[in-house]
Amino acid sequence: MMRNVGSSSSSGKGIAAVVGVGPKLGRSIARKFAHEGYTVAILARDLGRLSRVAEEIAREEKAQVFAIRIDCADPRSVREAFEGVLSLGFVEVLVYNAYHSSSSYASHHPTSFTHIPFQSFQTSISVSVFAAFLCAQQVIPGMMEKGKGTILFTGCSASLNGIAGFSELCCGKFALRALSQCLAKEYQAFGIHVAHVIIDGVVGPPRETNIPPRGMVAEQSFNVGGEDGEGEGESSGVMGMDPDVLAQTYWYLHVQDRRAWTHELDIRPSNTRF
C-alpha cells in the first residue's frame, strides 16, 4: 500500500528510496534528500506512523513524499513494495536502513545462543540481508541503464566484530557488509556508488530542526549498533549521535566525486574510546 503526500516535484532528479524509516536516522535521511530536491519514497511496516512522517517531511521541505508499507521479512512484500517505488520513476538512491526489531539487540539484552529460536534467527537474517539483496536487485537495472546511482547500506559495530549474546545481529550484519563489498566491486564501473556506513554508537533524537543550506555537507539506537528502521528502541539514557548530522554523511556519499569514491566508513561520537 502506498500513500502520496506533498506537491509534485519538477526538479528532474530521480527517486530517493529509504527502507527502514523510524523517528531517528531513517527519518533524518529521508528529510535530507527531500531538502535537496528529491522525491522521496519512505518504507517501513507501520503505514500509519510512516504516513505521519511523510506528512511532516512534505510539509517542512515542501517536497513530494510517498509512504509505502514493506515487511522486510517477507520477500513478496519487498517485491510488491518496490513495484510501487519503481512506478514513481527512476530510483537514483537506495538507502537500506532496516533491522529486525524483535531480536535481542532491540531490547539491549544479550540472548544465549542456545536460547535463540530458529524462527527469530531466520527473520533477523532475512531483514538484515535477504531484503537488502532483493531491494538492490530491483533498482540496479535502472541505475545501469542511466549510468548512475547510489546504494547505501547501514551497518554497525557488529558488522565488524562478533559480540557474545548477539548472534542474530552479527551474522546478518556481517553478511550485509559482504553484500555491499561485492556490489561495490561489481557495479562501480557502471557508475553505481555502493557504500557501507558503520554507525558505531548510539543514535539519539535530533538536536536541531534546521538543516544546512542545500548542497552543504558538514537510525544505531543501541551501543551494539542497531539502526532505527523496522523498529526502534530506547538508548537507555545514553546521549547519542544526532541523526540529522549523520544524514549529512549519507548525502555526502551520494554527491561524492566518482574519481574518489568511499566504499566504507565508520562514524562515532568524539567521546568514544577505541
Side-chain angles (χ1 to χ4, degrees), residues 11 18-19 27 31 37 62 64 72 84 95 114 135 148 190 215 221 223 226-229 252 268-269:
S11 67
V18 185
V19 181
R27 170 192 171 276
R31 183 167 171 248
K62 296 179 173 54
Q64 189 169 36
C72 289
V95 178
T114 57
C135 292
K148 64 178 182 177
F190 296 94
S221 300
N223 284 322
E227 314 79 63
D228 63 1
Y252 164 72
R268 62 181 58 85

Side-chain angles (χ1 to χ4, degrees), residues 28-239:
S28 292
I29 293 170
R31 183 167 171 248
K32 175 61 178 176
F33 278 87
H35 181 79
E36 298 294 344
Y38 278 81
T39 296
V40 178
I42 58 175
L43 299 91
R45 283 182 305 185
D46 187 338
L47 186 59
R49 184 182 70 174
L50 196 65
S51 296
R52 292 191 292 273
V53 173
E55 290 169 0
E56 176 186 292
I57 295 173
R59 181 177 64 253
E60 292 177 352
E61 305 301 337
K62 296 179 173 54
Q64 189 169 36
V65 185
F66 293 85
I68 303 175
R69 186 186 183 280
I70 190 171
D71 181 353
C72 289
D74 180 358
R76 177 180 294 180
S77 175
V78 175
R79 292 189 181 95
E80 290 177 350
F82 268 81
E83 286 178 5
V85 174
L86 293 170
S87 72
L88 303 176
F90 165 54
V91 179
E92 184 178 342
V93 181
L94 169 65
V95 178
Y96 191 82
N97 185 57
Y99 81 102
H100 177 35
S101 62
S102 62
S103 57
S104 60
Y105 58 94
S107 62
H108 200 44
H109 296 296
T111 300
S112 170
F113 176 75
T114 57
H115 294 159
I116 298 173
F118 174 77
Q119 184 62 46
S120 178
F121 187 86
Q122 185 178 51
T123 300
S124 182
I125 298 296
S126 294
V127 173
S128 291
V129 67
F130 290 170
F133 163 86
L134 290 172
C135 292
Q137 274 198 334
Q138 302 302 308
V139 302
I140 284 175
M143 292 178 176
M144 291 180 65
E145 183 179 341
K146 295 285 187 178
K148 64 178 182 177
T150 302
I151 300 176
L152 305 175
F153 297 107
T154 300
C156 59
S157 53
S159 303
L160 304 176
N161 300 290
I163 303 172
F166 295 92
S167 299
E168 294 174 87
L169 170 64
C170 295
C171 290
K173 288 301 182 182
F174 267 58
L176 182 65
R177 185 185 187 216
L179 176 66
S180 178
Q181 291 179 356
C182 292
L183 296 183
K185 292 177 179 180
E186 184 171 353
Y187 291 105
Q188 62 182 2
F190 296 94
I192 302 173
H193 185 189
V194 181
H196 181 235
V197 184
I198 300 170
I199 307 296
D200 186 13
V202 178
V203 175
R207 292 189 177 88
E208 297 180 7
T209 57
N210 294 325
I211 289 182
R214 296 178 192 272
M216 283 190 63
V217 175
E219 186 98 87
Q220 327 358 3
S221 300
F222 311 98
N223 284 322
V224 294
E227 314 79 63
D228 63 1
E230 288 294 297
E232 285 197 7
E234 298 300 323
S235 57
S236 304
V238 178
M239 181 174 292

